[in-house]
Amino acid sequence: MAYLPPISPSLTIFKNPQLTRFKFAFSSPKPLLLSRPAGIHNLRMSTNKSSVVIASSTTAASEKQKKRYPGESKGFVEEMRFVAMKLHTRDQAKEGEKETKSPEERPVSLWEPTVDGYLRFLVDSKLVYDMLEEEATSPAYAEFKNTGLERSEKLAIDLDWFKKQGYKIPEPTDLGKAYSQYLKDLAEKDPQGFICHFYNIYFAHSAGGRMIGRKVAGKILDGRELEFYKWDGELSQLLQNVREKLNKVAEGWTREEKNHCLEETDKSFKYSGEILRLILS
């Protein structure tokens, strides 16, 4: 309920001699009672010059407008997308704000990939997807089981193809092992953090990841398109289905939990960038 402070005796109405000589023309010294206008409650006026209190039931106008986050009106996935885009370079995305520093942040046309490096990237990527898809089988993440975006089986097919071509499949690197373990820990203790990585890994692969795969294949695989970059079904619809599920889950989060999820984006890019860099090793 809104509150107006008592009017001070120092105001003009109490200093004007003409006004102070004014007397109410009533036969009884009872206080003046006014009828209560619609929408106004507890209206009280006193002849005591030290105070006039007016209290109103209308408080909506005094409430502060809630802070809006970029993309919030479209759902939480749009908030995650907005934060992720800012962590790209301008060469990678028009919304990017990051300066190009690491080799993998340069345009892919300038890359000099190797088959051995690419295999290390694929092996570590499979380890990461194995963990994501294993956790998706738990009741806590049941919404994200069998989404159609899964990559582990596709990677297994690709690695088998390389093996048949005579290439030795390397063991996972420490980078892949560390990221896989980190995801496992998040899944158990920090669902908002886990969802951040889940979103960034799958959605990034469906966009920039496909472009990288196509250009790298053109440089070292005679243009062969790996299964890693193919989906069963319409990719745009698969992404939309997962987008809706993510938004639905986030509806049950507090604003603090949502912010925590967004803050995890930096780590998602850090880990993914280190694994991507293996292509150039």
Side-chain angles (χ1 to χ4, degrees):
M1 184 172 289
Y3 170 73
L4 296 179
I7 298 177
S8 169
S10 62
L11 294 179
T12 306
I13 188 172
F14 297 108
K15 289 183 177 182
N16 191 322
Q18 298 299 320
L19 294 175
T20 55
R21 287 197 298 268
F22 179 81
K23 297 184 182 294
F24 290 108
F26 293 106
S27 58
S28 171
K30 294 181 180 179
L32 177 63
L33 298 177
L34 300 181
S35 60
R36 201 177 280 177
I40 302 297
H41 302 281
N42 298 329
L43 179 63
R44 178 171 58 86
M45 296 186 67
S46 171
T47 54
N48 184 339
K49 67 178 182 180
S50 64
S51 66
V52 175
V53 179
I54 300 177
S56 172
S57 63
T58 307
T59 59
S62 64
E63 292 182 359
K64 290 184 177 180
Q65 200 170 20
K66 287 178 63 178
K67 179 181 178 181
R68 301 292 289 182
Y69 290 78
E72 184 178 4
S73 61
K74 296 182 180 180
F76 187 63
V77 169
E78 184 63 17
E79 290 189 54
M80 290 195 286
R81 190 198 71 82
F82 181 87
V83 173
M85 287 299 101
K86 296 296 182 184
L87 294 178
H88 286 74
T89 66
R90 290 301 297 272
D91 290 327
Q92 295 170 333
K94 64 181 180 180
E95 299 160 272
E97 295 182 351
K98 186 178 179 181
E99 293 183 9
T100 302
K101 295 180 180 179
S102 303
E104 78 278 4
E105 294 174 343
R106 296 179 301 166
V108 182
S109 59
L110 302 178
W111 288 15
E112 296 180 4
T114 65
V115 174
D116 288 341
Y118 196 39
L119 280 171
R120 282 189 283 272
F121 163 73
L122 294 175
V123 168
D124 275 18
S125 293
K126 185 176 184 304
L127 194 63
V128 168
Y129 282 104
D130 284 347
M131 182 56 66
L132 288 172
E133 287 154 28
E134 178 185 332
E135 292 300 331
T137 63
S138 70
Y141 304 103
E143 288 285 334
F144 305 106
K145 180 181 178 180
N146 298 328
T147 63
L149 297 182
E150 290 79 14
R151 298 291 86 197
S152 186
E153 290 184 7
K154 299 287 189 180
L155 282 163
I157 295 172
D158 290 330
L159 291 172
D160 185 60
W161 177 84
F162 276 100
K163 186 176 181 180
K164 289 178 179 178
Q165 306 309 305
Y167 292 101
K168 182 180 179 179
I169 308 302
E171 292 296 316
T173 71
D174 290 342
L175 292 171
K177 293 176 182 178
Y179 194 16
S180 178
Q181 183 60 49
Y182 183 68
L183 290 172
K184 182 177 179 63
D185 293 341
L186 285 180
E188 294 174 355
K189 304 173 184 178
D190 184 355
Q192 286 76 30
F194 180 77
I195 289 298
C196 174
H197 290 261
F198 180 95
Y199 162 77
N200 280 292
I201 291 171
Y202 283 109
F203 279 67
H205 179 66
S206 71
R210 283 196 300 165
M211 180 272 293
I212 291 171
R214 184 172 62 252
K215 293 192 175 182
V216 169
K219 287 176 177 284
I220 62 176
L221 298 177
D222 295 326
R224 177 184 175 82
E225 183 182 16
L226 299 183
E227 295 299 312
F228 187 31
Y229 305 101
K230 298 178 184 179
W231 286 263
D232 299 324
E234 187 64 35
L235 178 58
S236 61
Q237 186 59 55
L238 296 175
L239 291 169
Q240 180 58 27
N241 293 343
V242 174
R243 189 179 289 112
E244 291 174 359
K245 290 180 179 181
L246 288 167
N247 281 333
K248 184 68 175 177
V249 167
E251 286 177 3
W253 294 351
T254 64
R255 186 64 250 179
E256 290 72 19
E257 289 172 331
K258 290 179 179 179
N259 289 346
H260 173 67
C261 179
L262 297 176
E263 290 164 359
E264 190 69 21
T265 308
D266 275 323
K267 288 185 179 179
S268 175
F269 271 62
K270 173 182 175 293
Y271 279 111
S272 295
E274 289 174 343
I275 292 177
L276 183 63
R277 197 176 304 151
L278 292 172
I279 296 176
L280 305 179
S281 62

